[in-house]
Every structure is written in structure tokens, then in C-alpha cells.
Amino acid sequence: MDAKAPGRPDRVRELAMLLVAASPYAIRYSSENRMYILVIDLVLVGYVALHRALDRPTLGRLVAVAAVVAALLYTNYWCIYLLVVVGLITLWRSE
């Protein structure tokens, strides 16, 4: 089998998928890591929203930043430290 040919199954990929699907550790810890994926996505969306709000502040853009901040705080309490640091850096750069 040629691994570079598109559409052909790759044995190593199939074996790795089978091992992960049958692993009790992967199943247990995958349910605990779901919120961290959401946090990463919200941080990315928050970065874009904050950048756009600082570039041209409008009510809609500021509401988007506030919504992302609220979602981050509801998702994971440890995000408060990220938000404090981002707030301090934003204040420092605005001077």
C-alpha cells in the first residue's frame, strides 16, 4: 500500500484509531477534557473579538467581547486569571 495515495486506507492509522477507541484511559479522560477544547475555542474567538473591538469599538463588538468573557467564566473558573492578565495588558498598552 502506498501511504501517499489519497483514498487508500493506511494500516498504521487504522491500528492507532482502534487502540485509542478501545483504550479505557482514552475514553475516561476524553470526557474530562471536553471543557478545555471549549476554552481553547472561546479564547480564539475572544482574541478576534477583542482585536476587532479595540480596532473600532462599537456596541455590537463590545457585546461580543462581554459574551465571550461570560462564556469563559461559565466554562472554567480558572479563566479568571487569563482575563485579568488580558485586562492588565490591554490597560498597559492603552497608555
Side-chain angles (χ1 to χ4, degrees):
M1 290 187 152
D2 186 12
K4 294 180 182 178
R8 289 191 173 182
D10 186 10
R11 290 278 191 209
V12 175
R13 185 176 24 209
E14 290 175 355
L15 182 61
M17 183 178 65
L18 180 65
L19 287 173
V20 170
S23 170
Y25 295 108
I27 293 169
R28 173 168 162 52
Y29 291 115
S30 67
S31 65
E32 292 183 6
N33 290 325
R34 274 187 241 151
M35 71 173 165
Y36 296 114
I37 299 299
L38 180 59
V39 167
I40 291 170
D41 291 341
L42 287 173
V43 167
L44 178 64
V45 170
Y47 173 78
V48 172
L50 182 64
H51 188 269
R52 292 183 72 197
L54 290 175
D55 184 39
R56 194 178 67 177
T58 62
L59 181 62
R61 291 178 178 188
L62 296 175
V63 167
V65 171
V68 170
V69 166
L72 276 169
L73 290 175
Y74 277 119
T75 302
N76 192 342
Y77 295 127
W78 291 102
C79 289
I80 187 75
Y81 299 114
L82 172 69
L83 296 174
V84 167
V85 169
V86 168
L88 289 174
I89 290 173
T90 304
L91 285 175
W92 178 64
R93 290 188 71 193
S94 67
E95 294 177 354

